[in-house]
Amino acid sequence: MTQTTKKIILAYSGGLDTSCAIKWLQEQYSYEVIAVSMDVGEGKDLEPLRDKAIKIGAVKCHILPLQQRFATEFLVPAIQANALYENVYPLVSALSRPLIAQTLIEVADQEKAVAVAHGCTGKGNDQVRFDVAIKALAPHLTIVAPAREHPMAREQAIAYAAQHQIPLPVDLNNPFSIDQNLWGRSCECGVLEDPWAEPPEAAYVLTKNLAQTPDKPTEITIEFAQGIPVAVNEQIKPLPLLITELNQLAGLHGVGRIDHIENRLIGIKSREVYEAPAAMTLIAAHRALETITLTREVAHFKPLLEQRFAHLIYEGLWFSPLRDALYAFIQATQQRVTGKVRLKLNKGHAIVVGRTSPYSMYVKNLATYAGDDQFDHHAALGFIKLWGMPTQIYHAMDIKA
């Protein structure tokens, strides 16, 4: 390579496609390839990828620890927003993409690269998420997507790898396409492409089959400070560790299995199997705490914005001004979402059994029907009269007619 060779930063997973991409980028564009592998909680040691990338032809490979940043900057907003795409999917992969895009740009700036590359196909959502984020934050960078520009069938990619002496991944016979991070795991392809077929147990790793889960529930307590989880069972923990432990604990009880036919951004329906034990447990707990800390008006309005917030994330618009504006509102609602929630984990369910907060708006003496009831029952008559007046006047016209 000469000193004038252009540099490209490749998001490198170590899989078949991105391994082939190192050679392809060299052959097709004469790029000097710098690989970047990012630890967002995939659950495996990424260090071996460095030697592999160099052996294939990359001039350098960065291994970057990003779990804390992922949790603080991306998972916290998702928890505070109870973010579920189509009220089902906790945005496992979608939440990591803006961070990966940001990191590619940062490394490109550091290495004085002129382009970045990713392994997305032309059929998925991730290409949109990466491209939109990169063009928004660094429009000067060229984006190259080998799997989109030169799609190869699996057998073609294997042949290409053999031709160029590219080490094949050890899990090449895995029938599924898998993406995993701190927030959960997604699984697609293979038998899962038949929406009538039940997902085989081989599709699951983080969660136990219900038949194998304990018969006795496990009770846990989760503590929040301004909508952010800070402790489990009275033990204060860094958020990445807290999520990891909840993934293990809730997964043991089969919590967080999701079989979803979702509407992809590009217009097709896709069958996805997700595992998100910690995500679903934390969202259930956070929602429960909000029931006693938010006013009625905020509690009724916030879910409308939560849905739009989740859609923006799914649609690759993390860096849009609307997401910023929506999150400003969401953050404002979290100032008093502080307290503890008790849950029982049992047979695939995270069941809320108690909640308490120093800012609780639940006043027992107003809610009770016992002798210490302090509610002014006589005030209800005037309230009902005024509340129902517009409806009464409307129907009075029908009576006159």
Side-chain angles (χ1 to χ4, degrees):
M1 298 289 179
T2 67
Q3 290 185 347
T4 57
T5 300
K6 296 178 296 184
K7 296 179 182 179
I8 189 168
I9 311 301
L10 170 67
Y12 183 61
S13 68
L16 178 62
D17 292 337
T18 55
S19 293
C20 289
I22 292 176
K23 281 294 182 187
W24 190 84
L25 289 167
Q26 292 171 339
E27 287 183 341
Q28 299 296 318
Y29 292 97
S30 298
Y31 275 125
E32 183 176 296
V33 180
I34 298 173
V36 181
S37 295
M38 306 167 217
D39 181 6
V40 288
E42 189 174 352
K44 68 179 184 182
D45 182 13
L46 299 183
E47 279 301 323
L49 297 185
R50 192 192 310 274
D51 290 339
K52 182 177 179 179
I54 300 299
K55 183 177 180 180
I56 295 170
V59 298
K60 192 183 296 185
C61 181
H62 296 271
I63 307 293
L64 303 178
L66 298 178
Q67 289 195 42
Q68 183 62 52
R69 183 176 172 186
F70 182 43
T72 303
E73 297 180 23
F74 298 89
L75 300 187
V76 164
I79 294 167
Q80 292 177 322
N82 303 311
L84 295 171
Y85 177 65
E86 298 184 327
N87 294 314
V88 175
Y89 167 44
L91 300 162
V92 172
S93 299
L95 281 163
S96 71
R97 297 336 190 205
L99 173 57
I100 293 172
Q102 267 188 325
T103 305
L104 286 175
I105 294 167
E106 291 165 2
V107 176
D109 182 61
Q110 173 188 332
E111 297 286 354
K112 295 180 170 50
V114 300
V116 295
H118 56 71
C120 302
T121 69
K123 188 181 285 189
N125 298 311
D126 283 341
Q127 59 175 334
V128 180
R129 295 164 183 158
F130 284 130
D131 287 19
V132 170
I134 292 165
K135 284 302 181 185
L137 302 181
H140 63 283
L141 290 175
T142 298
I143 301 172
V144 183
R148 181 174 63 198
E149 297 174 17
H150 186 68
M152 288 189 285
R154 195 176 185 85
E155 57 272 17
Q156 291 177 308
I158 293 172
Y160 183 87
Q163 178 186 350
H164 292 83
Q165 298 181 320
I166 297 171
L168 296 176
V170 296
D171 62 346
L172 195 59
N173 292 324
N174 191 323
F176 307 115
S177 175
I178 297 165
D179 184 64
Q180 183 172 332
N181 61 43
L182 194 61
W183 205 225
R185 182 175 181 270
S186 67
C187 188
E188 61 179 350
C189 299
V191 67
L192 300 177
E193 291 178 350
D194 178 2
W196 180 251
E198 180 180 359
E201 280 304 305
Y204 299 106
V205 171
L206 301 181
T207 55
K208 288 282 189 181
N209 184 295
L210 292 186
Q212 299 174 333
T213 59
D215 292 326
K216 184 178 179 180
T218 294
E219 185 170 295
I220 63 171
T221 301
I222 300 175
E223 184 173 350
F224 292 83
Q226 295 187 331
I228 303 172
V230 294
V232 173
N233 295 332
E234 309 297 330
Q235 297 293 314
I236 297 174
K237 301 176 186 295
L239 187 53
L241 180 58
L242 184 151
I243 292 171
T244 298
E245 292 192 7
L246 273 181
N247 272 329
Q248 296 170 351
L249 188 56
L252 181 66
H253 289 271
V255 175
R257 285 194 176 189
I258 301 166
D259 182 356
H260 183 40
I261 305 292
E262 71 186 41
N263 291 290
R264 282 190 176 179
L265 174 58
I266 60 168
I268 66 174
K269 290 186 183 290
S270 175
R271 202 271 188 93
E272 308 281 343
V273 168
Y274 299 107
E275 294 178 280
M280 300 309 290
T281 301
L282 286 170
I283 289 174
H286 181 258
R287 279 177 164 170
L289 188 57
E290 286 189 323
T291 63
I292 61 171
T293 55
L294 299 185
T295 64
R296 178 182 61 190
E297 291 75 20
V298 173
H300 287 177
F301 183 67
K302 183 171 178 274
L304 302 177
L305 298 192
E306 289 175 351
Q307 290 183 33
R308 191 70 189 102
F309 190 78
H311 274 256
L312 288 172
I313 296 171
Y314 186 87
E315 294 165 356
L317 297 174
W318 180 273
F319 298 107
S320 70
L322 178 56
R323 194 213 66 90
D324 292 339
L326 292 182
Y327 187 49
F329 169 84
I330 290 167
Q331 281 183 301
T333 68
Q334 299 300 293
Q335 299 308 304
R336 297 188 176 189
V337 184
T338 295
K340 299 177 183 179
V341 179
R342 286 193 302 122
L343 306 97
K344 286 187 177 180
L345 307 174
N346 186 235
K347 298 298 179 184
H349 298 284
I351 305 165
V352 174
V353 295
R355 70 288 279 163
T356 184
S357 169
Y359 302 106
S360 176
M361 297 186 65
Y362 180 90
V363 180
K364 185 179 178 182
N365 287 342
L366 293 177
T368 185
Y369 286 90
D372 54 350
D373 179 8
Q374 296 179 358
F375 185 82
D376 184 355
H377 290 258
H378 297 289
L381 186 60
F383 166 76
I384 294 170
K385 181 177 181 180
L386 296 177
W387 179 254
M389 186 180 297
T391 304
Q392 181 180 350
I393 293 171
Y394 176 85
H395 284 284
M397 297 179 184
D398 292 338
I399 296 172
K400 290 179 180 179

